[in-house]
Amino acid sequence: QVQLAESGGGLVQPGGSLRLSCAASGSIFSINAMGWYRQAPGKERELVASITIGGIRQYSDPVKGRFTISRDNAKNTVYLEMNSLTPEDTAVYYCNAYIFLTAYQSRHYWGQGTQVTVSS
């Protein structure tokens, strides 16, 4: 059984910062890409940032220059450093990982989500 456990969400004032963490646990052979998505009320879930096992990063346009994704492969953990937060960043943030259970079995896994609220 594989699980993704997120932490680090909360309430922050505009202009503030937060750091999200997501740790994968269970019977894991290897992890390929990891990423963060978010879903605001009334909107579809959207990709925020992703990072490959080799460290290649991609960001959505709204967060470029403000958010930084990183990972610790030894800990099966992905991080999202969020700076200069605005109310438009308010959403539930979900961790996603493409995990190999064996050399031939793989699938996407999702975390349970963590709320980020940016408000004064």
Side-chain angles (χ1 to χ4, degrees), residues 10-100:
L11 174 64
V12 63
Q13 291 187 342
S17 299
L18 280 176
R19 188 190 195 213
L20 306 182
S21 300
C22 172
S25 62
S27 182
I28 297 171
F29 178 75
S30 67
I31 302 177
N32 198 336
M34 303 183 82
W36 290 93
Y37 290 70
R38 67 186 182 185
Q39 187 167 19
K43 294 188 177 181
E44 294 186 352
R45 189 173 299 188
E46 62 176 1
L47 176 66
V48 175
S50 65
I51 183 168
T52 68
I53 190 171
I56 298 174
R57 298 169 172 84
Q58 288 188 321
Y59 298 95
S60 65
D61 285 343
V63 308
K64 281 181 182 177
R66 300 188 298 122
F67 291 11
T68 301
I69 190 170
S70 61
R71 64 189 285 174
D72 184 332
N73 292 329
K75 296 181 179 180
N76 290 336
T77 299
V78 63
Y79 306 96
L80 186 67
E81 185 76 34
M82 305 185 292
N83 298 312
S84 302
L85 286 162
T86 73
E88 289 67 37
D89 295 314
T90 296
V92 178
Y93 284 70
Y94 296 92
C95 172
N96 177 275
Y98 191 69
I99 296 176
F100 282 80

